[in-house]
Amino acid sequence: MAIVERSINIDEELRKVKLQKCELNDYQTYIIDNKIAGKDCLEPYEKTKEVYETLLNATIREDGGRNALFGFYYQFLVAIDYLVELIEGKWDFMSFEIHDDIILCKEGTDQPCVRFVQVKTSKHPSLSYSSTELCSRTEKKFKHGDQETKMRINDSWLDKLFFNAELFKGKGEIKQQFQLVTNFTFHVSISKKDSETKNINHYRKNKSFLGMDIKDDDPFYHKLKDSVVNSDGIEYDYHVQTGMSVRELLSKTQILERVDYLSSFRDGICNRLGNMLSKTIKVDGGATVLDDDINWLIGEMCASCSERDDKLVLFIDREKAMNLATKLLERATKYSDDFSKAVGNKKLIDEALEKTIQEVLNTHSEAAQYFEDIAITTKQQLYRWVEDGGTILQLISRFYEGRDESIDFHIKMHKSQREDTVYALIVIFILLKIINNDINISSNYKSILTKEVLNSLEKKYDLAFIKVDNYYYEDVLKKLNEIITRLHIQSHDDLLLMTIEAPHRIVIHGVHDRSDTISFNESNIEVVSLSKPSISQLGENTESMTEVNYKFLLIPWHAIESKYSRFRRNKDDFSDFQNTLNETWNKLSKVVE
C-alpha cells in the first residue's frame, strides 16, 4: 500500500511517450493504465531515459561510423531518386554497389547508354574542390632497386569514376556517362587574371553528357593530365586502358550538387514519388508518401540484395521497380483520403452507385426505392473493404486478370474503362443481393475476385468472377486456363480453396457472341487438367507426372442481366422480378453432374 500512497499523477501525454519510446511488459502497462505508478515503477523508464540522454549529450570522440551510416543512407536516397526514372521508363535497370555506387543502363536503342554514379557526402555545405579528393591524387613511394621514388597514383574521385570506362573499351556504340552526386557544393577561387573557363560551372550544366569542350586551363584537366601510376606503381595511360583520353572522359562528366539538408532532400523525394504514383495511374489526387515509406523502401531494396563472391549486390530492373511502386501505391492509399478516392476507392464506388440508381429512376422509378436500400448495404460492404486495407484497383485487377493489382495493368486501362468496370461490379453485387442478401466479398482469396454466398438452405459456397469483353465460349476457356495455369504453377492458395468444393462456381461477365457455335445461355461444367511432377517415396523427383483436375461451373452473367434489362424496360413488379431472378440464378448455379 505504500506505493499507492506515494502515487503520482501520470498524464495522458506522458503515457503516450512511454508507450512510444519503450516496450513495456504486461505488468508495466497495467500499472500505467491504472495510474498506480509510484517512484519504483517509473524506475525502468527513468533509468533508460537517463542513459539515453547521457549518450546523446556527451561529446563524441569518434564519429566515423555515424558519418559512414549517413553516407550510405544518402546513397540510398539518391538511388530512390533514380528509381523514379526507372519506373518512368528512362532506364532499364539500376545496380547498387556493383563496380560503382550506382550504375544506370538503357538498352534496346540505337545507342545504349550506361551512367556511372558516385555519391559523396560531407558535414560541410561548401568545400574547395582542391581540399577534397575530387581530382587530388595521393603521392606514394615506390622502390626501384635501391632507390625510392615518389609518384602520384590515380586514386582521386574522378579517377575511380573513370576506371569504369575499361569495362566498355572498344564499344563505341555504348554511350558512357559519368556523374558525381554530392550533398555539398564545390567552390573554386578564381583571380581576375584567370580565364573564366577555370570555374566548374560547365560540369554542373553538362546535363546532356554529350561531350563538351575542355579547355587547357580547365581546373580538373590541369590536375589529371599529368602522368600517373596505379596502386602497384605501373604507369596508367587512360587512352590505352579505356580507349578515351582524360579530356574526352571529362567532357562526359557531370557534377550534381544537391545542397540541402537530409530532411529536405528526403521530403523532395517523397513528393516526387507521390507525383509519380498519381501520374502513373492517371489521377489528379496527390499520393501521400511519408518518411516511413522511404525507410520501408530502403528495407525492400536491401531485401532484394543477392550474394555474390561473399558480398551483397543489388540489381533492380524495371519489373522489380514496378513491383515496388505497386506496394508503395498500396501504402499511399491508406494515408490520404483524397488520393484514396481519386485512385478509385470511395469516389468510384459512389459514382457507380449513383449511376445505377439513376438508371433505375430514369427507366422504372417505382422500383428505385428497393434498389436504393440494397445500394446502401452494398456501399457499406465495399467501404468496409476499403477501410480494411483493400482497394477498388485490387477488385478490378482480380476481376480482369485473376491476380492482385498491377500498376502495369492500370496504366494501360483508360479512366473510363476503370469506371465502367466498377459500375459493372456494382450492378453484379446489387443483383446478387436481390437474390440473396447474405453475400460478402471473401477475404480468403488473394488473387481471384470471390464472394461468399449463403444460399436458401443456409449452405455457404464461394462464387468467383471473371471479366471478358465480347467473347466466344472458347475465349472464356482460354482465359480461365491462363489464370488457373498461373496459379497452379505458383502453387497458389486460391487453388487449394477452390478444390475444397468442386466444381467451383465462376460468373463470366461480358457479352456472349450469339454467332458462337457453342451456346452459352446455360451454365456449363468445365475441367481444367494440369500436370506437375510427382514425388517418389524416397523424396526424389521422378520423370512421372501427376495430373490435377480443377472443375468449374461457368455461369453466364448475361442471362441475369437480360432479366434486369427486361424488368426496367417492361416496368415489372419488383417482387415478380425478384422471383424471376431467383429462379434463373438457382437454375444457373445448381451443380448437376
Side-chain angles (χ1 to χ4, degrees), residues 237-303:
D237 187 314
Y238 272 105
H239 197 277
V240 173
Q241 299 295 330
T242 69
M244 287 186 280
S245 65
V246 170
R247 198 189 295 266
E248 189 176 358
L249 289 163
L250 286 171
S251 72
K252 301 174 185 293
T253 302
Q254 184 204 47
I255 293 179
L256 182 60
E257 299 155 314
R258 298 189 178 279
V259 189
D260 49 19
Y261 294 103
L262 177 65
S263 57
S264 59
F265 181 38
R266 189 170 51 214
D267 288 346
I269 293 175
C270 286
N271 290 333
R272 191 176 181 196
L273 284 168
N275 292 334
M276 178 273 297
L277 291 176
S278 301
K279 181 181 177 182
T280 300
I281 58 174
K282 301 182 179 70
V283 298
D284 297 326
T288 302
V289 177
L290 305 178
D291 290 352
D292 284 348
D293 297 312
I294 297 294
N295 296 333
W296 165 84
L297 195 52
I298 291 174
E300 288 291 304
M301 292 168 73
C302 288

Side-chain angles (χ1 to χ4, degrees), residues 5 17 183 239 272 302 348 378 383 430 449 452 503 591:
E5 290 171 2
V17 171
N183 74 327
H239 197 277
R272 191 176 181 196
C302 288
L348 284 183
T378 302
Y383 268 30
I430 286 178
L449 175 55
E452 299 167 346
V591 177

Side-chain angles (χ1 to χ4, degrees), residues 118 120 127-138 154-162 179-182 184-188 200 203-204 218-221 223-224 238 250 253-257:
Q118 272 194 36
K120 300 298 179 183
L127 292 170
S128 168
Y129 85 93
S130 57
S131 68
T132 68
E133 298 173 43
L134 176 60
C135 52
S136 297
R137 292 165 165 171
T138 304
N154 53 349
D155 60 351
S156 71
W157 294 343
L158 290 176
D159 282 312
K160 292 174 181 176
L161 196 56
F162 296 154
Q179 186 182 53
L180 187 71
V181 181
T182 68
F184 57 91
T185 184
F186 294 100
H187 65 263
V188 181
I200 61 172
Y203 290 104
R204 296 180 178 120
D218 182 279
F220 297 165
Y221 180 68
K223 289 273 190 177
L224 300 180
Y238 272 105
L250 286 171
T253 302
Q254 184 204 47
I255 293 179
L256 182 60
E257 299 155 314

